[in-house]
Amino acid sequence: MPKTKVAIVGMGTVGSGVARLLLDHGDRTARHAGRVLWLEKAVVRDLSKARAAELPEGVLTDDLDEVLNDPEITVVAQLIGGLEPARTIMLQLLEAGKDIVTANKALLAEHGPELFERARELGRSIAFEASVAGGIPIITNISQCLSANQTLSLEGILNGTSNFIVTQMDVQGMAYEQAVRLAQEKGYAEADPTMDVDGTDAAQKLAILAHLAFGAHASWADIPRVGIDQLDPEDLRFARELGYRIKLLATAHLDDAGLELHVAPTLVRAGTPLAEVQDAFNAVRVVGDAVGPVFYHGLGAGQMPTASAVVADIIDTAVGRTRLTFQTLELFSPVGPPRVRLRAFDELPGRYYLRLHVDDSPGVLGKITGALGRHNVSIASVIQHEPDDRADRNTVPLVVMTHEAPEGAASGAADQIEALPEVVGNVVRLRVKV
Amino acid sequence: MPKTKVAIVGMGTVGSGVARLLLDHGDRTARHAGRVLWLEKAVVRDLSKARAAELPEGVLTDDLDEVLNDPEITVVAQLIGGLEPARTIMLQLLEAGKDIVTANKALLAEHGPELFERARELGRSIAFEASVAGGIPIITNISQCLSANQTLSLEGILNGTSNFIVTQMDVQGMAYEQAVRLAQEKGYAEADPTMDVDGTDAAQKLAILAHLAFGAHASWADIPRVGIDQLDPEDLRFARELGYRIKLLATAHLDDAGLELHVAPTLVRAGTPLAEVQDAFNAVRVVGDAVGPVFYHGLGAGQMPTASAVVADIIDTAVGRTRLTFQTLELFSPVGPPRVRLRAFDELPGRYYLRLHVDDSPGVLGKITGALGRHNVSIASVIQHEPDDRADRNTVPLVVMTHEAPEGAASGAADQIEALPEVVGNVVRLRVKV
């Protein structure tokens, strides 16, 4: 049986998982690849650091040159996080003739065009299934399995950390800070969870998926995004009362006006599959013009789900499938203009949930409906509860669900409402999944 | 741009859908394939029959030789149903050097080994994504995306017709015959729906998936199967009362004792994803040892979902991915023994739902629990309702949910219970998903 020599660069959690699959299950990978996948080298920065994975003698090294200068190593799983030295190492590996497998979506989001162009020039490939949605093979599904379709929409819960935190807040009634700490204890959140909870991570993943599914040239930084870091438990409760759950939803919708892209905490109707995604799970719902809706659900992160995606990519690369796919992949492609126009955020249609606290006095509701009316935002339903006691004022919480209106109009109305003297504090405005 | 000439054999519903995608969306398929997919011929039996798809001059023919003798046609979507002449035509196409795409799972289930062996000998490939679960790309997901995993279990709602009928009975309270008629009107069921409703179709699909996921050499005819054709609305109601739904579930579970395979109406806990699969949708839940659980949900049949899968296969075949996958595919492979032992049905563990009608007299429950006890089947819960009036006897319906026990034991106990003089009619016994 032929042999493909493989190296891993970066032996963190995912790298150790990949090593385990390659070392402990060589029969399995050989069966699927039709060749032995031989772990030749595992490159680390610090040899003295303790590691979970037991490696055979001679595999572990802190010298990248042992990979770069070994022409028999043809596939490298580049599993270093962050931007540098990950970027430089990936370029070095490409120059040295290696095909790359990576899980680093931040790197692709920032330097994808440069890396992909270089790979194309050099006749190499970059596989990146593990970079989005962990164990859900959404990259292969969009770029290969659903390739007969024009994708019409894509909605995803793409950040497991955020979903875990929101689930704890929603189901267990935990405070935000407490839920973050639990996520950190369980290894779902970094010491600094900012990129997860502020929507950056989900926007980076959405940018990759939007490239693949729509041929959009979307930079993640241009995707409007709101995280869960400001989410108020009060809104989780009201959403529940209205028959919804709040999820950090990454949304892409195509229509004649162009492509709508955004990441935001969104009210999703309870009982629908996306609303019921719990804990660190991810889910993606894709609608194709031929296939209709397809729904995927799986673990969004974690050592072995991510390693599963990396090793599938290693197999695909060793077999030769990745090279074939990479050639026609609509990702960071310099060829031709984008196939879709990105819609401006203000023009995006949406339904909205508005929650505010108002003085318990006559005429207030009239002023609020007036502000909405002036922006042509019509009201679908209103909940006004009994008075609560907020500090020194006698206020009542008020929730307004609107019919469909452009973001700009809803935002303008919300600003005007917030400026009313009878309104205490901020107006919370969340999107409602249509 | 290079061109691959494609032919369709069989212009029924799916064939017309495939033609539509190839003709109307040539830009799309060319983008994903990196080559033009050119529909050169569409072969039909009867030229005079009216067709939905508008074909360009010269494409439609009733002469298969126009495909067989044209060496430029390299990919053929063979979309004739049934066993013959489908089998003979597929062999002719392979001999003529064509790579095949098919949606005919019955043909694969019956003649897969012969067809695959011939394809291997001739250096050709057979792609069959459309043969299982319609729009859900489960074949590629198992054989490629999850290839780093040992599959531990696979549970699927694989027959859209049955699921549609059961949904109508369960949600709308329709009678079985009425639901079958509605399924026929909507095009979900054939004029003779036997293969769908008696579990044959699901068993054929499960056999294919079990080959791929477990390396099992399972003939569909050996898979124990019960259909929905005997399902009593009374059991749908009791299941609901117990917090379950009844679904025609295809199950494969691997443990140290071997592989469990069966198709049966099964109680699935309400609120879990498989329980909530409605109408003609299909769903598959796969558990891999690395990736954990992955859940797929999509349209199981219909013109365009199936055509989507066929065209994805045509693209994969034209690009060369199918050839690479086919070489290492664990399906109908003559190499080596099966990797798993198929467990005998009688030894399979399961929980059970037993429903019976008994005379409303003292001591009956004792006799029933006695019969269960003699077979070491322990009771988890019992529901006994108020008397109903069945014909001339005063009987009460009785539902027993058991703890886990082997099929053989549960079946033996049920037979003994059915033989009790106080039991009226049959004992209904259904599996409960653990």
Side-chain angles (χ1 to χ4, degrees):
Chain A
M1 197 178 244
K3 187 193 274 190
T4 296
K5 289 192 180 172
V6 177
I8 301 173
V9 179
M11 284 290 281
T13 311
V14 175
S16 303
V18 171
R20 236 170 77 189
L21 285 176
L22 292 177
L23 293 169
D24 298 353
H25 299 293
D27 53 335
R28 185 193 296 175
T29 47
R31 204 164 53 231
H32 288 292
R35 50 183 55 241
V36 173
L37 300 181
W38 183 263
L39 180 59
E40 182 75 11
K41 290 290 167 194
V43 185
V44 296
R45 205 160 26 179
D46 181 359
L47 278 175
S48 66
K49 217 169 128 188
R51 297 182 200 279
E54 287 268 343
L55 295 177
E57 193 67 29
V59 170
L60 202 69
T61 175
D62 59 357
D63 183 4
L64 184 66
D65 284 341
E66 290 188 23
V67 173
L68 294 173
N69 298 334
D70 183 346
E72 290 195 1
I73 298 175
T74 53
V75 183
V76 179
Q78 212 273 52
L79 299 172
I80 306 176
L83 301 182
E84 283 295 354
R87 174 184 151 276
T88 303
I89 289 175
M90 197 182 285
L91 287 169
Q92 286 177 293
L93 290 165
L94 289 169
E95 303 287 344
K98 319 299 183 193
D99 289 320
I100 308 288
V101 173
T102 184
N104 189 333
K105 120 238 64 177
L107 181 64
L108 294 183
E110 284 293 346
H111 299 294
E114 176 194 13
L115 295 167
F116 273 54
E117 196 184 342
R118 199 73 195 106
R120 284 194 188 92
E121 284 166 6
L122 293 162
R124 300 269 61 84
S125 62
I126 300 173
F128 51 97
E129 181 63 79
S131 67
V132 180
I136 303 175
I138 192 66
I139 302 290
T140 304
N141 273 272
I142 288 178
S143 53
Q144 182 182 338
C145 304
L146 303 181
S147 57
N149 291 266
Q150 171 61 54
T151 307
L152 301 176
S153 80
L154 187 153
E155 290 157 327
I157 293 173
L158 300 177
N159 184 269
T161 310
S162 293
N163 201 61
F164 179 84
I165 293 169
V166 173
T167 304
Q168 303 315 308
M169 293 171 70
D170 192 17
V171 179
Q172 314 291 342
M174 232 176 247
Y176 174 75
E177 291 73 18
Q178 191 189 354
V180 170
R181 270 197 306 280
L182 184 62
Q184 286 165 331
E185 279 165 34
K186 286 188 172 268
Y188 295 143
E190 311 277 333
D192 175 4
T194 310
M195 302 261 283
D196 285 320
V197 298
D198 76 355
T200 299
D201 175 86
Q204 290 178 334
K205 290 164 176 170
L206 181 61
I208 292 174
L209 295 181
H211 269 273
L212 290 172
F214 302 96
H217 292 193
S219 165
W220 72 267
D222 297 335
I223 296 179
R225 62 194 176 283
V226 180
I228 55 144
D229 40 356
Q230 303 299 323
L231 200 57
D232 192 321
E234 191 176 2
D235 296 308
L236 290 165
R237 286 192 298 272
F238 277 121
R240 215 164 245 280
E241 186 178 333
L242 290 158
Y244 290 85
R245 304 279 178 272
I246 296 179
K247 294 288 168 187
L248 184 66
L249 208 65
T251 302
H253 273 287
L254 183 69
D255 65 19
D256 292 340
L259 183 66
E260 166 184 351
L261 287 180
H262 47 84
V263 172
T266 303
L267 276 75
V268 185
R269 192 169 288 282
T272 59
L274 280 169
E276 304 306 325
V277 176
Q278 305 292 322
D279 296 326
F281 277 88
N282 277 195
V284 185
R285 182 176 191 269
V286 183
V287 180
D289 65 346
V291 76
V294 187
F295 179 75
Y296 302 88
H297 181 267
L299 287 164
Q303 180 180 42
M304 296 317 290
T306 311
S308 163
V310 170
V311 173
D313 269 354
I314 293 175
I315 293 172
D316 280 358
T317 303
V319 166
R321 277 189 296 253
T322 302
R323 191 177 52 77
L324 295 172
T325 309
F326 194 70
Q327 286 167 354
T328 58
L329 206 61
E330 276 194 301
L331 183 60
F332 309 131
S333 167
V335 184
R339 279 194 291 118
V340 290
R341 167 182 174 271
L342 296 181
R343 300 185 68 176
F345 193 51
D346 271 3
E347 68 175 75
L348 296 186
R351 292 186 56 216
Y352 306 90
Y353 159 101
L354 302 176
R355 193 262 302 158
L356 53 159
H357 288 266
V358 296
D359 282 333
D360 190 14
S361 59
V364 180
L365 194 56
K367 289 192 180 181
I368 289 164
T369 56
L372 288 165
R374 277 191 296 282
H375 288 82
N376 278 318
V377 180
S378 71
I379 295 175
S381 66
V382 175
I383 304 181
Q384 182 177 326
H385 278 283
E386 296 290 301
D388 53 5
D389 25 274
R390 275 169 86 87
D392 50 348
R393 285 169 76 165
N394 184 26
T395 63
V396 291
L398 188 69
V399 172
V400 177
M401 297 284 278
T402 76
H403 285 297
E404 200 165 289
E407 264 285 340
S411 151
D415 287 348
Q416 224 172 74
I417 292 168
E418 201 168 280
L420 292 172
E422 295 88 347
V423 172
V424 182
N426 296 328
V427 174
V428 171
R429 183 169 64 88
L430 299 173
R431 294 183 67 91
V432 180
K433 177 172 143 50
V434 183
Chain B
M1 197 175 244
K3 188 193 273 190
T4 296
K5 289 193 180 171
V6 177
I8 301 172
V9 178
M11 284 291 281
T13 310
V14 175
S16 304
V18 171
R20 236 171 76 190
L21 284 176
L22 292 176
L23 293 169
D24 298 353
H25 300 293
D27 53 336
R28 183 191 299 175
T29 47
R31 203 163 56 230
H32 289 292
R35 50 182 56 242
V36 174
L37 299 181
W38 183 263
L39 180 59
E40 182 75 11
K41 289 290 167 193
V43 184
V44 296
R45 206 161 27 183
D46 180 359
L47 279 173
S48 66
K49 216 169 131 187
R51 298 182 200 279
E54 285 269 341
L55 296 177
E57 193 67 29
V59 169
L60 202 68
T61 174
D62 60 358
D63 183 5
L64 183 66
D65 285 339
E66 290 189 23
V67 174
L68 293 173
N69 297 333
D70 183 345
E72 291 195 0
I73 297 176
T74 53
V75 183
V76 179
Q78 212 273 52
L79 300 171
I80 306 176
L83 301 182
E84 284 293 356
R87 174 184 152 276
T88 303
I89 289 175
M90 196 181 286
L91 287 169
Q92 286 177 294
L93 290 165
L94 288 169
E95 303 286 344
K98 317 301 182 191
D99 289 321
I100 307 288
V101 173
T102 183
N104 188 334
K105 122 238 60 177
L107 180 63
L108 294 183
E110 285 291 348
H111 299 294
E114 175 193 15
L115 295 167
F116 273 54
E117 196 184 341
R118 199 74 196 107
R120 285 195 188 91
E121 285 166 4
L122 294 163
R124 301 269 60 84
S125 62
I126 301 173
F128 50 97
E129 182 62 80
S131 66
V132 180
I136 303 175
I138 193 64
I139 302 290
T140 303
N141 273 271
I142 288 179
S143 54
Q144 182 181 338
C145 303
L146 303 181
S147 58
N149 291 267
Q150 171 59 55
T151 308
L152 301 177
S153 80
L154 187 154
E155 289 156 327
I157 293 172
L158 300 176
N159 184 269
T161 311
S162 292
N163 201 59
F164 179 84
I165 292 168
V166 173
T167 304
Q168 303 315 308
M169 292 171 70
D170 191 18
V171 180
Q172 314 291 342
M174 232 176 244
Y176 174 76
E177 291 72 19
Q178 192 188 354
V180 169
R181 270 198 306 279
L182 184 62
Q184 286 166 330
E185 278 166 34
K186 287 187 171 271
Y188 296 141
E190 312 277 333
D192 175 4
T194 308
M195 303 261 282
D196 287 319
V197 298
D198 76 356
T200 299
D201 174 86
Q204 291 178 336
K205 291 166 174 168
L206 181 62
I208 292 174
L209 295 180
H211 268 274
L212 289 171
F214 301 97
H217 292 192
S219 165
W220 73 268
D222 296 335
I223 296 179
R225 61 195 176 283
V226 180
I228 55 146
D229 40 357
Q230 303 299 322
L231 200 58
D232 191 319
E234 191 176 2
D235 296 308
L236 290 165
R237 284 193 300 273
F238 277 121
R240 216 165 244 279
E241 186 178 332
L242 290 159
Y244 290 85
R245 305 277 179 273
I246 296 178
K247 294 288 170 187
L248 184 66
L249 207 64
T251 302
H253 273 287
L254 183 68
D255 66 19
D256 293 339
L259 183 66
E260 166 184 351
L261 288 180
H262 46 83
V263 171
T266 302
L267 275 75
V268 185
R269 192 169 288 282
T272 59
L274 280 170
E276 304 307 324
V277 176
Q278 306 292 323
D279 296 327
F281 278 87
N282 277 195
V284 185
R285 182 176 190 269
V286 182
V287 180
D289 65 347
V291 76
V294 187
F295 179 76
Y296 303 87
H297 181 266
L299 287 164
Q303 179 181 42
M304 296 318 287
T306 310
S308 164
V310 170
V311 172
D313 269 352
I314 293 174
I315 292 173
D316 280 358
T317 303
V319 166
R321 277 189 297 254
T322 301
R323 192 177 51 79
L324 295 172
T325 308
F326 193 70
Q327 285 166 355
T328 58
L329 206 62
E330 277 195 300
L331 183 59
F332 309 131
S333 165
V335 184
R339 280 193 293 117
V340 291
R341 167 184 173 267
L342 296 181
R343 299 184 70 176
F345 193 50
D346 271 2
E347 67 173 77
L348 295 186
R351 292 186 58 216
Y352 307 90
Y353 159 103
L354 303 175
R355 193 262 302 159
L356 52 161
H357 288 267
V358 296
D359 282 334
D360 190 14
S361 59
V364 179
L365 193 54
K367 288 190 181 182
I368 289 164
T369 57
L372 288 165
R374 277 190 296 282
H375 288 83
N376 278 317
V377 180
S378 71
I379 295 175
S381 66
V382 176
I383 304 180
Q384 181 177 326
H385 278 283
E386 296 288 302
D388 53 6
D389 24 274
R390 275 172 87 85
D392 50 348
R393 285 166 77 164
N394 184 26
T395 63
V396 290
L398 187 69
V399 173
V400 177
M401 297 284 278
T402 77
H403 286 298
E404 199 165 290
E407 266 283 341
S411 150
D415 286 350
Q416 228 172 70
I417 293 168
E418 201 169 280
L420 292 172
E422 294 88 347
V423 172
V424 182
N426 296 328
V427 173
V428 170
R429 184 170 63 88
L430 299 173
R431 293 184 67 90
V432 180
K433 178 172 142 53
V434 184

